[in-house]
Amino acid sequence: MLLHGTDALTAAAREGRAIPGFVAYNLETVQGIVAAAEAAGRPVLLQAGSSAFKHAGRAALMALALDAARRSDAALGVHLDHSRDLEEITACVEAGYTSVMVDGSHLPFAENVALTRKAVERAHAAGVWVEAELGALAGDEDVSTDARAAGGSMTDPEQAAEFVAATGVDALAVAVGNVHGFTAEPVRLDLDRLARIRAAVAVPLVLHGASGLPEEQLLGAVRRGVAKVNVNAELRRAYLQAVSSALPGALPGADVVSTWTAGRDAVAATALRITQKLSPTPSTTQPT
């Protein structure tokens, strides 16, 4: 069931919980994320985005993600993550994505505003909500190295208010010490800055780089207005560890099915655990 509109996002912000945005790269990661959403009984965003298109192909991964979401009984949004290309954003909107992220965080402020405003115009015309980013995160979205928070730049609360007013975005991704990927030392978020950003803007906030965050930091961010939390590296690690463990037994018989199944089940279990942490429910059903 496709999750349209921002009602789920704004409800999460109002209720002090967050919707997870899980990044998918292939069939098994899509299936694992969907299984977790079904088991949790909570809204989940299935993020099939720019970097994953390089591996799977845009048309193939778009179709896979949208078909899986439409066939599921869970409330699933299909989200374009980290796009810097208006043509790509338009293609995903036309294909049926429920939300898109335009990433102009690498640009000077005025250029980020201009790019974001164009994306908002295109997406809103089709009833699709838009996330944008202000500030810059250290680390790599797709490769977990020892990222360091010092490589990024923090979001300024006053500038955030100006940015939201100038662009009309529906959600804002912020930089408050969070990084992409795992770090050698635990990340400490600037929760005071996050609270000031929350007070300055009316739209829900988004936290990228949640993999490996200490739980008190993650939940502290949710309590301060983060309504969407992106998780990528944690799912990738779970998938690769499961596949690696399955390979010795699978190789003699070339048993690819058991290997893929192990990876998919690990993604499902990890995504379910994170979903329940961000938005607890009475459900404790495990995905199959």
Side-chain angles (χ1 to χ4, degrees), residues 134-266:
L134 187 64
L137 273 63
D140 191 302
E141 295 162 33
D142 300 299
V143 180
S144 296
T145 54
D146 284 341
R148 299 184 184 278
S153 60
M154 298 276 197
T155 305
D156 176 80
E158 291 184 6
Q159 195 175 56
E162 181 184 351
F163 182 84
V164 169
T167 59
V169 292
D170 304 287
L172 182 68
V174 296
V176 289
N178 41 319
V179 302
H180 288 298
F182 292 104
T183 59
E185 298 295 331
V187 169
R188 300 293 300 179
L189 301 178
D190 188 340
L191 295 177
D192 289 340
R193 178 183 294 268
L194 181 59
R196 293 198 303 274
I197 297 169
R198 170 71 284 164
V201 304
V203 300
L205 303 181
V206 180
L207 187 73
H208 288 227
S211 293
L213 265 182
E215 184 167 338
E216 72 276 6
Q217 292 283 295
L218 177 60
L219 297 183
V222 173
R223 287 193 294 270
R224 287 164 177 81
V226 166
K228 174 176 176 279
V229 173
N230 280 22
V231 180
N232 185 350
E234 206 162 342
L235 295 193
R236 295 199 318 267
R237 176 176 286 184
Y239 180 87
L240 291 173
Q241 286 177 338
V243 168
S244 179
S245 297
L247 277 175
L251 278 172
D255 184 1
V256 294
V257 172
S258 68
T259 307
W260 292 332
T261 300
R264 180 183 64 197
D265 291 349

Side-chain angles (χ1 to χ4, degrees), residues 22 36 231 234-235 237-239 265-275:
F22 294 121
V231 180
E234 206 162 342
L235 295 193
R237 176 176 286 184
Y239 180 87
D265 291 349
V267 168
T270 302
L272 175 59
R273 173 179 55 79
I274 294 168
T275 303

